Amino acid sequence: MSDVDLDIGGMTCASCATRIERKLNRIDGVTATVNYATEKARVTANGVDAATLIAAVESAGYSASVPRPVADVAEASEAAGNTEVSALRQRLIVSAVLAAPVAALSMIPALQFTNWQWLALALASPVAIWGAWPFHRVAAINARHGDASMDTLISVGVLAAFGWSLYALFFGTAGVAGMHMSFTFFGSPATGSSEIYLEVASAVTVFILAGRYIEVRAKRDSGAALRALLEVGAKNATLRRGEVETLVPASTLVPGDQVVVRPGEKFPSDGLVLDGASAVDASMLTGESIPVELGIDSRVVGGTLNVGGRLLVEITRVGADTELARIARLVEDAQTGKAQVQRLADRVAGIFVPVVLVLAALTLIAWLALGAAPEIAFTAAVATLIIACPCALGLATPTALLVGTGRGSQLGILIRGPQVLEMTRRVDTVVLDKTGTVTTGIMSVVHALPAAGVTEAELVRLAAAVEEGSEHPVARAIAAFAPEAPSPAAEFRAHAGLGVQGVVDGRAVVAGKSSWLTESWSVMIAQNLADAIAQAESRGETAVMVAADGEALGVICIADTVKPTSAAAVRRLRDLGLTPVLLTGDNEGAARAAAAQVGITDVRAGVSPAGKLDTITQLQSAGHVVAMVGDGVNDSAALAAADLGIAMGGGTDAAIAASDITVVSGDLLVVGDAIRLARATLRTIKGNLFWAFAYNIAAIPIAMLGLLNPLVAGAAMALSSVFVVTNSLRLRRFRARETP
């Protein structure tokens, strides 16, 4: 058994993905899943090569190819996506410009000058043919395979309206000079040859193109997570050969190369420290704010940031073998396997379209059998097709999505598309990353405990003075805690992974790990201070011991603090029917302490990026529908795998790109508002679809009885569209809940 991934081209709706799946699964030894949003197929094949799979996809009327390596895909996929969006935008703009005067001439009698109908024909023809060509093409493919989709509905409706208009203009009485379109609720089929449907053909095309444009833009962003991950790494590296240092592209490095990484630079690839000591900020990868101390023989990961001293690193892994590339593959796998929303319109279209076609044929036959003139029979049949044209259906999703996402953007909530909405209703578990999500992600002083006879002000002043010379985040937190900017200590010296020393006001001051102070400086620590250190470390805090002239001055505790709104946010998530879970790569003590502050009982600590993905899949296997909230690169795979991924706006681009919803403010409190807004938008879409279908079902019998003239049909579709739009506009009244 082997897994084969395929890039699929030519899909326009969820039914296309279903059709390709059926085609692939008919091959012996093949199990396939096609993802419409990412345009990828994941195939498990037993003894079947890629060429056979590609041929099967192509026989269904679509294109397929074996994907290129991840690193090669980013730029090309983005360029292809931009080309598709640009082409569709051009088609939409041209069609809208041409359709607007057609609608005005047809709907406003005062504008109907002599022979206006021929101008309307000239303007509507490019729209009905060229503008709607993507729908006509897919409808033809559907017909060849005995299938139907929303594109079939659109194509049939547009062509029926346009075709009857041509008949009425050239063979009926609609083309005579001075023709005017009048409005009557009840017409006679005999008048069909005097009416035209050009405004219907052009307006339907424009409305549906607008919805398709929104959809294609969302699909273009499906590869953004991978591109963002690849952009995390360093672009250049300082290559050292002998005593010569040369700046080279990071992509040219090979295992065995030695590179120099200075403070403030990213590691260009995975490697091993040969010389130097430093603190490394790995938060972009691990999600944890506490830097990692490195020395000789320490391993480094490409993309992490050197915040301390100068390091000489030997490259051990490059390209697809690096940790960053591994996480990129996790994101890609998770996205490929994500279940897609089953849009109501696409599910029903497969049944609705053939039924409408059969009803139109039966109408034609019935009228002829009753002895009616062929013109009367044909008029009733065409009216049946026209009234079934899915104008409101095409507007149902994009208008609600447009208004809902627009309102969301005003509130700092970015919703990716309709595939997100359905999951917000079904989600029952929300997994929260700790650092940067529940907590601030920034090291700060929690409290300071001075020794007997020492004031807190004195303790902080001396500690800040000696830490001022260090760039370590813990040192920065202590320096920032001082009421006044400290003066740097004289004779400053840093000891990697241990602490710092210096002379302040003539006193020898040291600050760092308590074990270092007792072993190297013979500092005696009082029992109350030792107990405070133990308690702080059990809570996951970093305890910095401070001494001067060999005497302990006290302890300063530093930690990543909980955001002020996190506890209220967790309560709101519970009110929405969600069970919170805290997930972090941090230690058990720190995780439990943060969870206790916000009211979370289910805690998963010490979890790697791959472990976070495993946790999501385990919860899903247990029957839960899972939302994941995170902000780091390490969260990307979990965000993509979750049924609903929510990224904090203050996090990494990779996390944001892998998510379904982005909270721009980074405030966990807004996550509840995001879910409420998404659910409200989904309810609006379902209401729109229901009434759009109800309109069709109610109007089709009237058309079959021959009681619809073109203006009634056009008015009915216009009214259904007005309802859909006005119902969608109600989302503009959505309000965020006030901060408690």
Side-chain angles (χ1 to χ4, degrees):
M1 301 292 286
S2 61
D3 290 336
V4 180
D5 291 336
L6 297 176
D7 289 333
I8 308 296
M11 294 191 295
T12 60
C13 64
S15 60
C16 296
T18 302
R19 185 180 303 121
I20 298 171
E21 281 187 7
R22 289 201 303 264
K23 196 75 172 180
L24 289 170
N25 288 324
R26 288 182 184 140
I27 303 174
D28 291 337
V30 170
T31 303
T33 301
V34 179
N35 188 313
Y36 168 59
T38 60
E39 297 185 318
K40 292 182 180 294
R42 171 62 51 85
V43 184
T44 301
N46 184 14
V48 181
D49 58 14
T52 302
L53 300 174
I54 292 172
V57 175
E58 291 176 344
S59 69
Y62 305 90
S63 63
S65 61
V66 177
R68 287 174 292 174
V70 174
D72 299 334
V73 170
E75 186 175 347
S77 62
E78 185 175 15
N82 289 336
T83 301
E84 185 179 7
V85 171
S86 178
L88 187 54
R89 181 172 61 246
Q90 182 183 39
R91 191 180 299 271
L92 172 61
I93 292 173
V94 173
S95 298
V97 170
L98 294 175
V102 176
L105 288 170
S106 302
M107 298 292 185
I108 305 174
L111 300 179
Q112 296 175 359
F113 55 86
T114 303
N115 292 322
W116 66 271
Q117 65 269 41
W118 298 105
L119 174 61
L121 175 64
L123 295 173
S125 296
V127 180
I129 299 174
W130 174 81
W133 179 250
F135 313 123
H136 301 325
R137 183 183 65 82
V138 176
I141 294 174
N142 291 339
R144 282 204 308 269
H145 294 86
D147 210 339
S149 68
M150 184 66 96
D151 292 293
T152 306
L153 278 173
I154 298 166
S155 179
V156 169
V158 170
L159 291 178
F162 185 70
W164 181 254
S165 298
L166 292 177
Y167 170 80
L169 286 169
F170 288 98
F171 302 101
T173 59
V176 299
M179 188 276 283
H180 291 279
M181 293 179 63
S182 58
F183 183 86
T184 57
F185 285 100
F186 300 100
S188 169
T191 64
S193 63
S194 65
E195 305 285 0
I196 57 177
Y197 296 80
L198 295 173
E199 80 285 1
V200 175
S202 55
V204 167
T205 299
V206 171
F207 289 146
I208 304 301
L209 281 175
R212 187 61 53 84
Y213 174 68
I214 296 172
E215 185 177 6
V216 171
R217 284 189 62 184
K219 288 173 62 179
R220 179 191 61 178
D221 297 333
S222 63
L226 295 179
R227 293 194 295 271
L229 276 172
L230 295 171
E231 291 171 358
V232 166
K235 301 297 187 292
N236 299 305
T238 303
L239 179 65
R240 180 174 178 178
R241 290 196 173 108
E243 299 299 322
V244 179
E245 296 181 2
T246 308
L247 190 67
V248 300
S251 59
T252 63
L253 296 175
V254 297
D257 283 345
Q258 295 182 4
V259 297
V260 176
V261 184
R262 295 178 172 81
E265 295 180 349
K266 291 181 179 179
F267 293 96
S269 194
D270 296 358
L272 194 68
V273 176
L274 299 179
D275 186 48
S278 180
V280 174
D281 181 2
S283 59
M284 55 72 59
L285 192 66
T286 66
E288 305 308 325
S289 56
I290 300 177
V292 180
E293 301 290 345
L294 296 183
I296 295 175
D297 293 333
S298 296
R299 295 193 176 277
V300 298
V301 177
T304 56
L305 181 66
N306 181 19
V307 298
R310 179 180 181 274
L311 296 174
L312 180 64
V313 177
E314 180 181 352
I315 300 300
T316 57
R317 293 185 295 184
V318 297
D321 296 329
T322 63
E323 182 72 8
L324 197 61
R326 187 179 69 84
I327 295 178
R329 288 193 295 272
L330 288 175
V331 174
E332 185 179 37
D333 292 343
Q335 285 190 331
T336 301
K338 182 181 290 186
Q340 296 304 296
V341 64
Q342 297 298 306
R343 295 186 179 131
L344 181 59
D346 283 319
R347 290 200 300 265
V348 177
I351 300 173
F352 186 68
V353 176
V355 169
V356 170
L357 294 174
V358 170
L359 290 176
L362 291 175
T363 300
L364 178 65
I365 296 171
W367 278 98
L368 291 174
L370 292 173
E375 183 182 84
I376 296 176
F378 186 70
T379 302
V382 170
T384 302
L385 289 174
I386 292 174
I387 200 64
C389 188
C391 180
L393 290 179
L395 287 172
T397 295
T399 54
L401 185 64
L402 186 64
V403 178
T405 55
R407 180 56 182 154
S409 65
Q410 294 174 337
L411 301 173
I413 301 167
L414 306 180
I415 302 174
R416 277 190 176 268
Q419 73 276 9
V420 175
L421 305 177
E422 189 169 276
M423 283 301 171
T424 62
R425 179 182 58 85
R426 298 172 52 200
V427 164
D428 57 37
T429 303
V430 57
V431 177
L432 305 175
D433 174 56
K434 181 181 76 70
T435 306
T437 302
V438 175
T439 65
T440 62
I442 301 173
M443 301 296 290
S444 58
V445 174
V446 178
H447 59 268
L449 179 63
V454 181
T455 64
E456 181 178 321
E458 181 72 2
L459 169 65
V460 173
R461 185 183 69 83
L462 293 176
V466 74
E467 295 283 14
E468 177 67 19
S470 174
E471 294 297 324
H472 196 287
V474 170
R476 295 293 87 204
I478 295 175
F481 186 68
E484 300 178 358
S487 300
E491 302 178 24
F492 172 82
R493 184 180 177 186
H495 302 264
L498 299 174
V500 296
Q501 69 179 86
V503 178
V504 182
D505 298 337
R507 304 174 68 185
V509 180
V510 293
K513 293 183 176 180
S514 58
S515 59
W516 179 57
L517 267 68
T518 57
E519 295 171 3
S520 299
W521 299 91
S522 301
V523 176
M524 300 296 294
I525 302 176
Q527 187 61 45
N528 67 319
L529 296 180
D531 292 341
I533 293 172
Q535 293 173 7
E537 291 177 346
S538 69
R539 295 190 298 266
E541 300 172 358
T542 299
V544 177
M545 190 72 194
V546 185
D549 297 331
E551 295 185 3
L553 299 180
V555 177
I556 299 176
C557 297
I558 298 94
D560 180 12
T561 56
V562 172
K563 294 179 179 179
T565 58
S566 291
V570 170
R571 289 195 299 272
R572 289 187 180 179
L573 292 173
R574 290 187 185 276
D575 292 341
L576 291 170
L578 306 178
T579 301
V581 177
L582 190 66
L583 182 64
T584 179
D586 209 346
N587 63 75
E588 185 80 16
R592 293 282 177 192
Q597 293 184 57
V598 299
I600 298 177
T601 56
D602 191 346
V603 179
R604 317 287 177 93
V607 182
S608 66
K612 290 186 176 183
L613 175 60
D614 292 339
T615 300
I616 298 296
T617 55
Q618 289 169 6
L619 288 169
Q620 291 171 328
S621 300
H624 297 287
V625 182
V626 182
M628 169 71 188
V629 185
D631 72 325
V633 173
N634 66 309
D635 302 320
S636 300
L639 286 167
D643 300 288
L644 180 69
I646 304 174
M648 310 303 281
T652 64
D653 291 341
I656 293 172
S659 65
D660 302 308
I661 297 175
T662 299
V663 176
V664 176
S665 66
D667 187 352
L668 188 60
L669 201 64
V670 185
V671 171
D673 293 327
I675 294 176
R676 288 174 51 239
L677 175 61
R679 288 178 176 179
T681 306
L682 177 63
R683 287 194 300 270
T684 301
I685 290 175
K686 288 190 171 183
N688 289 345
L689 289 172
F690 171 80
W691 288 109
F693 278 115
Y695 139 79
N696 283 122
I697 294 171
I700 287 175
I702 300 174
M704 294 176 66
L705 293 173
L707 299 177
L708 281 181
N709 66 18
L711 287 184
V712 172
M717 285 191 292
L719 288 174
S720 68
S721 300
V722 168
F723 170 80
V724 166
V725 172
T726 54
N727 190 44
S728 299
L729 289 176
R730 293 168 58 238
L731 290 169
R732 298 170 66 178
R733 299 200 296 266
F734 180 88
R735 296 289 184 269
R737 291 183 177 174
E738 295 182 0
T739 303

